[in-house]
Amino acid sequence: MQRFQKVFGRLQAAAIGMVHVGALPGTPRSSATVGQLIDKACQEAEIYKRAGLDAVMVENMHDVPYLLGGDVGPEVTATMTAVCREVRRVCPRVPCGVQVLSAANKQALAVALAAGLDFVRVEGFVFSHVADEGLLNSCAGDLLRYRTTIGADSIMVLTDIKKKHSSHAITADVSIADTARAAEFFLSDGVIVTGTETGRPVDSKELKEVHQAVDIPVLVGSGVSTENLPTYLRANGLIVGSYFKKNGRWQNEVDRDRVDRFMDRLSTLRQKLR
């Protein structure tokens, strides 16, 4: 927990705003230049910084349909590194992280190291599952050895468990609490609980089960809004993407008013926790 507090500056309800980079070179919806992608990402990061968010995270969400892990090309890693370096420059004192879809976890670590970021979000850390991109197997042992090999042990690895957009029928006999304990045993720096898909709220019962199962940070990874903030206030981190966008749709641009409204509500609720 000390490491989480050192990076994010607090242990409860650290607000992490998502920067969804436009479609990258080589992907079906790619239309912008790398420079344009960087400019847009930096504009969104600036909104989050001015609103007082605790951290920002960059993600290639527009690269649909996603490739799995090792099939993600060097053009994606290179562009994400360029984007993240500029976001880091815009937010020099705000914790920054990255996720590279889908399950391109080594690439994310490499990007984070090169760009000077603080954390990565990782899929498929423990147990296999079937995602919409295909079968995803556990990567914990390989990934953490890679982190050590490249000298990136200072970068936190925050890991999804029973993640969204996936079928978990092959591990139906393994509870979400058991999955969280396995991630903790395999040296995760924090676990992320999600709803069934992007923008869907987390089951509060599952969140409680995970909190009771582990001693590492627990983050909410989808569906957070001003309306349900009280439900998730005791989570260590809140990853917010869809709510911050115009009309609450992740595909849209960041809406400054929605960000400010969320942070005002969060500030009020934090006062009551003291």
Side-chain angles (χ1 to χ4, degrees):
M1 289 292 185
Q2 289 182 344
R3 188 177 186 185
F4 187 90
Q5 185 167 25
K6 182 178 179 180
V7 171
F8 293 95
R10 64 177 72 247
L11 275 177
Q12 282 189 312
I16 304 167
M18 292 302 305
V19 174
H20 293 139
V21 184
L24 302 185
T27 62
R29 290 184 172 174
S30 175
S31 61
T33 67
V34 173
Q36 290 169 333
L37 295 173
I38 290 172
D39 289 345
K40 183 69 178 301
C42 289
Q43 289 169 12
E44 295 191 352
E46 183 72 29
I47 292 172
Y48 291 145
K49 181 179 73 172
R50 292 186 179 184
L53 269 80
D54 300 292
V56 300
M57 179 159 52
V58 182
E59 181 185 50
N60 59 326
M61 187 77 172
H62 290 272
D63 284 1
V64 289
Y66 308 119
L67 294 172
L68 268 179
D71 292 328
V72 173
E75 71 284 354
V76 170
T77 306
T79 306
M80 287 293 283
T81 301
V83 171
C84 288
R85 281 181 64 86
E86 289 305 302
V87 168
R88 171 86 283 175
R89 183 185 60 78
V90 168
C91 301
R93 289 178 290 277
V94 178
C96 295
V98 64
Q99 179 174 18
V100 181
L101 300 170
S102 170
N105 301 321
K106 285 185 176 180
Q107 292 93 322
L109 270 175
V111 170
L113 179 64
L117 306 188
D118 304 287
F119 62 96
V120 295
R121 181 176 181 174
V122 165
E123 303 171 84
F125 192 70
V126 291
F127 294 107
S128 297
H129 63 264
V130 181
D132 41 14
E133 305 91 359
L135 180 64
L136 191 59
N137 288 315
S138 169
C139 69
D142 193 33
L143 183 67
L144 295 191
R145 282 166 175 79
Y146 177 73
R147 182 174 67 169
T148 297
T149 297
I150 64 173
D153 283 332
S154 63
I155 297 170
M156 294 187 73
V157 172
L158 305 177
T159 61
D160 278 284
I161 54 172
K162 297 276 187 179
K163 74 174 291 290
K164 56 189 177 180
H165 299 287
S166 301
S167 166
H168 299 282
I170 56 177
T171 55
D173 57 338
V174 181
S175 71
I176 193 167
D178 290 336
T179 307
R181 279 189 286 266
E184 181 179 37
F185 181 64
F186 272 14
L187 307 182
S188 167
D189 294 313
V191 292
I192 301 169
V193 183
T194 66
T196 55
E197 61 183 53
T198 297
R200 291 289 180 90
V202 170
D203 185 315
S204 58
K205 181 172 179 277
E206 288 190 344
L207 186 63
K208 182 178 180 180
E209 290 173 3
V210 172
H211 261 301
Q212 293 174 341
V214 297
D215 294 320
I216 57 176
V218 178
L219 296 86
V220 174
S222 71
V224 183
S225 67
T226 53
E227 290 76 19
N228 63 25
L229 252 179
T231 303
Y232 303 132
L233 202 58
R234 296 195 179 277
N236 299 105
L238 308 172
I239 300 172
V240 188
S242 297
Y243 181 81
F244 287 155
K245 305 301 185 70
K246 290 181 179 179
N247 301 317
R249 293 177 58 83
W250 72 262
Q251 300 93 332
N252 295 339
E253 296 182 357
V254 171
D255 185 327
R256 190 186 305 268
D257 290 338
R258 292 177 73 93
V259 176
D260 289 341
R261 195 156 59 242
F262 182 93
M263 292 307 294
D264 287 345
R265 173 73 167 144
L266 180 57
S267 178
T268 300
L269 290 170
R270 282 171 173 168
Q271 293 293 329
K272 295 179 180 180
L273 281 178
R274 293 179 180 176

